[in-house]
Amino acid sequence: MMKIALVAAAVAAGLPIVVTTAFAGVNAPALPADFRSWTVVRSQVVSDPDHAMYGFHQVYANKPALRALRSRTRSATFSDGAAFVVSIYEPVQSAGTTTPGAKRRDVVRVKDRRAVATGGWRFAAYDPAGKPIAIDAAACYACHAGAKDTDTVFSRFID
Amino acid sequence: MMKIALVAAAVAAGLPIVVTTAFAGVNAPALPADFRSWTVVRSQVVSDPDHAMYGFHQVYANKPALRALRSRTRSATFSDGAAFVVSIYEPVQSAGTTTPGAKRRDVVRVKDRRAVATGGWRFAAYDPAGKPIAIDAAACYACHAGAKDTDTVFSRFID
């Protein structure tokens, strides 16, 4: 809020504004550098090319997220910092198999109780080069809000 | 060979034979207790119910296997003890998505240069309760042998 107030004051004063990465991304979690070594919770294939989440999904959970998932309580709540990354690949069909082809993007969600407008989660997406993709976190939340019993998380840990 | 000779001698002598688990499983690697926390290398869906590997696959690699996979050399060779587990689930199609349903089995392959008849790998399969399933390791190898450039491993590490 203070930063927004400062920017507003700068605009009012006609000052040049440098929007830093830190400011622009205040609500967008970074792509965790090590997620590829996190535990894969599940995978799924969304086959409809018109679906917002079209693609072959690989869902990774960090340790705090995994702990909550594995507690197996229906009312699992996640501690701040619990995070998921969904790597989404082009589904490639060949000879009766579907495999993940080229990466489409990585989607991140991180628990942060301060993000009240989006259910206590921050969302972000990155292209295969690691560059942020503009997303509507409210739309992410609107869909996930249906999973109220699991803190709006769809994924379950599959043994 | 000595054990086989002893069993043959026992049969010839009409003695009762107790085939121990250790003997029956001499070439069958155990299901590693911790594989669920290994790194997932890739996933794929084999859609044909008549295919021997029908199902939604999750492929796990232990650290030695991962090191070889990530070396990205075409002639990657795996050190003894390098291991993969493929968890195979029933593919469940619903509303345009394919997800892993009930587990069908876990398949294991462990590098062991002494297993020359099967390309230096030992194979085993386990049902969802962890009970060994009879498999023909020669058939596993016959299919994998095509992947000569990668020590008969089909899976590649996907970033």
Side-chain angles (χ1 to χ4, degrees), chain A residues 36-37 39-48 56 58 89 96-100 103 157-159, chain B residues 36-37 39-48 56 58 89 96-100 103 157-159:
Chain A
R36 188 64 185 79
S37 62
T39 297
V40 165
V41 174
R42 69 161 345 181
S43 302
Q44 69 170 337
V45 185
V46 178
S47 307
D48 177 3
F56 199 128
Q58 202 74 296
Y89 301 86
T97 67
T98 306
T99 54
K103 184 177 276 193
F157 183 83
I158 299 175
D159 267 316
Chain B
R36 188 62 186 80
S37 62
T39 297
V40 165
V41 174
R42 71 165 337 184
S43 302
Q44 69 170 339
V45 185
V46 178
S47 306
D48 177 2
F56 200 127
Q58 202 75 295
Y89 301 86
T97 67
T98 305
T99 54
K103 184 177 276 191
F157 182 82
I158 298 176
D159 266 318

Side-chain angles (χ1 to χ4, degrees), chain B residues 104-117:
Chain B
R104 292 169 55 82
R105 61 180 174 279
D106 293 311
V107 177
V108 189
R109 67 183 297 185
V110 178
K111 182 73 186 186
D112 179 351
R113 274 169 293 187
R114 297 168 304 177
V116 288

Side-chain angles (χ1 to χ4, degrees), chain A residues 28-35 38 84-87 103 105-108 110 124-131:
Chain A
L31 186 65
D34 59 341
F35 81 84
W38 294 0
F84 294 91
V85 173
V86 186
S87 287
K103 184 177 276 193
R105 61 180 174 280
D106 292 311
V107 177
V108 190
V110 178
Y126 294 87
D127 73 13
K131 207 180 144 191

Side-chain angles (χ1 to χ4, degrees), chain A residues 68-78 146-153 156:
Chain A
L69 277 186
R70 297 198 72 167
S71 73
R72 297 180 180 283
T73 58
R74 276 182 62 77
S75 58
T77 49
F78 293 81
K148 284 203 196 308
D149 288 342
T150 50
D151 202 359
T152 75
V153 168
R156 302 194 179 204

Side-chain angles (χ1 to χ4, degrees), chain A residues 4-5 59-60 64 110 121-122 128 135-136 141 153:
Chain A
I4 291 171
V59 184
Y60 301 88
V110 178
W121 291 90
R122 297 188 292 128
I135 59 163
D136 179 3
Y141 176 60
V153 168

